Amino acid sequence: MLKLFKKTKDKIPKSEIIIEPKELKTPPLSKCGKPLLLDNTRWERRLHKELMSLIKEPPPGVTVDTESVQQNLSEWKINIKGFEGTLYEGEDFQLLFKFNNKYPFDSPEVTFIGNNIPVHPHVYSNGHICLSILTEDWSPALSVQSVCLSIASMLSSCREKKRPPDNTLYVKTCNKNPKKTKWWYHDDSV
Amino acid sequence: MDSKYEEFLKQQQNIAREVCDSTPLVSERQALICLKTEYMGDEVFIAKIEGLLKKYKYIRRTRPDGNCFFRAFAYSYLEYLITNQAAYHEFRKLAESSKDRLAELGFQRFTLEDFHETFMDVITRLNPTSPGEKEPGQLQSELHRIMNEQGYSDYVVVYLRLIVSGKLQEDAEFYQNFIEGNYTIEEFCHQEVEPMYKESDHIHIIALCKALRVGVRVEYLDRGGSSTANTHDFPEGLDPMVYLIYKPGHYDILYPK
């Protein structure tokens, strides 16, 4: 089982924040220009709260692509920087978070997207991530921020860049949604 | 992933969904004697049920979704509070202040707030001295409605889970003794307490009772040696306000005569 709880004890090297966090002055607009804040339901309220907090106080190296969120509140793109002093120093990655209306009771679907998928023993080359808090250890008290921190910590503690041993087979046969995978969590020594 | 395995997964999910769709989160009260038909022909269980029938009259069932202890506890304790004004107000204060204590323990404030807000909302709706002067019967049906509405019921379950996690972490030294294997208390909380649908063990019950200062009596209906159900009070020495029955893997609510 991959355990990533002692985030606070992991030494996260300092890294610059990519973009100055901007205040969202107006609520995000949906495609047709209607404010999403109107008539929103509980899961949307919760996502809004999380978004504001992530914009105001982003964890080091993490930035939300606010444009993507403005288009669609249930799909966020989040940029995450490889920390200095780790194997991923200087690399930029992008995560895609998908939420459904059962959030935060249902975990978000989280995958790496884009051209640069980190080479890591728990990350498949299609972007799927083997991390227990994304499925069976998910709790509604977790958040986008805690997921980002766990992923950052997972990358930071890596000692050898390699793909999971079953990468080829998995990528060929898996469902598009990583939550449909019954993960056998790899040990946490990596 | 081979297709057989995927099929198995799908099957598992379907079974889970069927269970959910067919059982209310919390049922109406049923005569306890109905348990006998469930265990027809099983002498050990029937003898124990006979014993329970001397002490208890009704049972109220909860959905077997892994949250049953928390849901049964919440329902039963709130049901106690709507007829006990003093205890209600004391609990309300305790619940109000619990958020800051949890935040101090390192829970993220805004996720905490979400659940605390709803938890307090539920408590407020069940105020036995509210100006609306609701009859006890009205409060009872309000409670039943709330606990069967997922949007409230699950929020209450989550908040109680956080309270348990908080208590375990606060008194980590004591609770560490209950944990097998190489788990730390923190890891145990993240894996076995905070996620929904994870089943409860003694350690969850003890922590919740102590944190909220609520006496719980559990009657264990299992295959254990004696001819009567084992009775256990949590924490020892406190008069029970909540009565539960444990059948292997599941908690329901009991009503004493």
Side-chain angles (χ1 to χ4, degrees):
Chain A
M1 178 86 65
L2 176 64
K3 294 175 197 143
L4 290 164
F5 307 128
K6 292 170 221 147
K7 301 163 217 151
T8 44
K9 287 177 201 153
D10 286 342
K11 276 186 203 156
I12 297 181
K14 270 194 183 167
S15 80
E16 328 118 57
I17 289 158
I18 313 167
I19 313 169
E20 252 333 271
K22 293 181 276 194
E23 282 279 343
L24 267 193
K25 289 206 183 85
T26 46
L29 298 180
S30 66
K31 265 185 190 158
C32 56
K34 278 186 198 149
L36 286 169
L37 268 173
L38 281 180
D39 191 28
N40 60 8
T41 47
R42 222 168 186 154
W43 69 286
E44 289 171 321
R45 259 201 333 254
R46 157 85 181 238
L47 282 177
H48 265 289
K49 251 184 168 176
E50 291 207 34
L51 182 62
M52 292 310 162
S53 144
L54 210 54
I55 292 170
K56 262 191 223 155
E57 295 158 354
V62 173
T63 40
V64 197
D65 179 343
T66 45
E67 217 162 275
S68 74
V69 186
Q70 277 172 29
Q71 306 220 334
N72 182 355
L73 186 63
S74 61
E75 285 196 25
W76 301 13
K77 285 180 187 157
I78 292 184
N79 301 311
I80 179 165
K81 234 176 160 34
F83 288 125
E84 273 173 43
T86 71
L87 298 180
Y88 304 94
E89 180 173 342
E91 290 186 66
D92 291 313
F93 306 108
Q94 195 166 47
L95 290 165
L96 177 65
F97 280 68
K98 285 189 189 171
F99 308 92
N100 65 27
N101 60 8
K102 290 202 185 112
Y103 184 78
F105 290 93
D106 272 9
S107 61
E109 187 190 316
V110 184
T111 46
F112 278 105
I113 53 167
N115 311 326
N116 194 20
I117 308 287
V119 179
H120 183 284
H122 297 154
V123 181
Y124 290 89
S125 53
N126 62 355
H128 287 194
I129 307 164
C130 177
L131 182 64
S132 62
I133 61 161
L134 294 179
T135 51
E136 60 177 64
D137 289 342
W138 168 256
S139 146
L142 293 172
S143 61
V144 175
Q145 185 173 333
S146 38
V147 170
C148 288
L149 281 170
S150 289
I151 290 174
S153 146
M154 175 182 94
L155 292 179
S156 296
S157 60
C158 179
R159 280 181 232 121
E160 191 191 348
K161 277 188 173 186
K162 58 176 182 196
R163 290 278 174 223
D166 55 342
N167 187 58
T168 320
L169 183 68
Y170 177 77
V171 170
K172 235 190 275 172
T173 57
C174 70
N175 191 294
K176 255 165 80 186
N177 179 353
K179 285 173 70 180
K180 297 263 162 72
T181 302
K182 176 101 186 155
W183 296 101
W184 305 103
Y185 294 102
H186 302 87
D187 72 272
D188 57 347
S189 56
V190 266
Chain B
M1 181 114 336
D2 57 41
S3 63
K4 253 191 195 162
Y5 191 66
E6 210 156 304
E7 221 171 88
F8 164 74
L9 272 185
K10 225 175 258 166
Q11 227 170 12
Q12 259 193 332
Q13 284 164 353
N14 284 343
I15 291 171
R17 200 172 312 128
E18 268 169 40
V19 168
C20 272
D21 292 348
S22 63
T23 352
L25 293 170
V26 189
S27 80
E28 297 290 346
R29 227 160 52 161
Q30 300 162 359
L32 184 60
I33 203 157
C34 68
L35 270 189
K36 276 173 89 174
T37 51
E38 229 170 279
Y39 292 99
M40 197 95 84
D42 187 322
E43 281 173 32
V44 181
F45 274 75
I46 293 290
K48 290 187 177 185
I49 293 167
E50 289 291 355
L52 288 176
L53 278 167
K54 290 184 190 141
K55 296 189 275 180
Y56 300 95
K57 209 167 174 192
Y58 299 108
I59 184 172
R60 194 189 289 279
R61 296 169 194 271
T62 59
R63 182 181 287 180
D65 63 357
N67 295 315
C68 56
F69 165 70
F70 288 101
R71 223 182 296 272
F73 175 93
Y75 193 107
S76 184
Y77 186 47
L78 290 169
E79 200 172 26
Y80 169 86
L81 292 179
I82 54 180
T83 54
N84 288 275
Q85 289 193 15
Y88 171 88
H89 289 290
E90 202 177 313
F91 178 68
R92 192 174 167 152
K93 262 187 244 157
L94 180 74
E96 195 67 66
S97 64
S98 61
K99 184 181 78 176
D100 291 334
R101 281 228 323 279
L102 289 175
E104 275 165 30
L105 282 167
F107 286 97
Q108 256 183 307
R109 249 184 201 280
F110 68 88
T111 55
L112 198 59
E113 264 163 19
D114 229 20
F115 296 102
H116 182 253
E117 239 166 61
T118 308
F119 192 68
M120 292 314 297
D121 184 21
V122 168
I123 294 173
T124 307
R125 280 161 185 265
L126 298 173
N127 189 346
T129 47
S130 70
E133 297 240 2
K134 284 179 190 155
E135 306 272 319
Q138 269 175 296
L139 283 175
Q140 176 72 49
S141 49
E142 176 80 344
L143 169 65
H144 195 72
R145 192 183 62 78
I146 286 175
M147 287 306 292
N148 271 300
E149 208 169 288
Q150 205 123 25
Y152 285 104
S153 206
D154 282 355
Y155 273 68
V156 169
V157 168
V158 170
Y159 197 67
L160 292 181
R161 284 181 176 278
L162 296 182
I163 286 178
V164 168
S165 172
K167 185 70 182 167
L168 292 176
Q169 294 183 55
E170 238 173 20
D171 298 338
E173 218 170 293
F174 171 70
Y175 289 106
Q176 186 70 60
N177 305 315
F178 292 81
I179 292 179
E180 289 165 27
N182 288 327
Y183 280 128
T184 64
I185 281 282
E186 216 185 347
E187 287 167 343
F188 180 81
C189 287
H190 290 315
Q191 289 180 12
E192 301 298 332
V193 181
E194 290 161 21
M196 288 291 274
Y197 319 117
K198 295 274 173 102
E199 287 177 11
S200 299
D201 227 320
H202 273 192
I203 184 171
H204 301 72
I205 305 180
I206 295 168
L208 187 60
C209 295
K210 284 202 173 173
L212 300 182
R213 288 178 236 131
V214 176
V216 176
R217 175 167 292 172
V218 184
E219 302 281 1
Y220 288 88
L221 186 60
D222 54 23
R223 224 157 268 291
S226 65
S227 58
T228 52
N230 253 322
T231 305
H232 202 111
D233 286 350
F234 301 93
E236 267 173 65
L238 206 60
D239 281 340
M241 301 164 221
V242 167
Y243 295 84
L244 303 177
I245 181 172
Y246 176 84
K247 294 174 282 167
H250 185 66
Y251 292 91
D252 287 317
I253 304 166
L254 279 178
Y255 290 85
K257 279 189 170 169

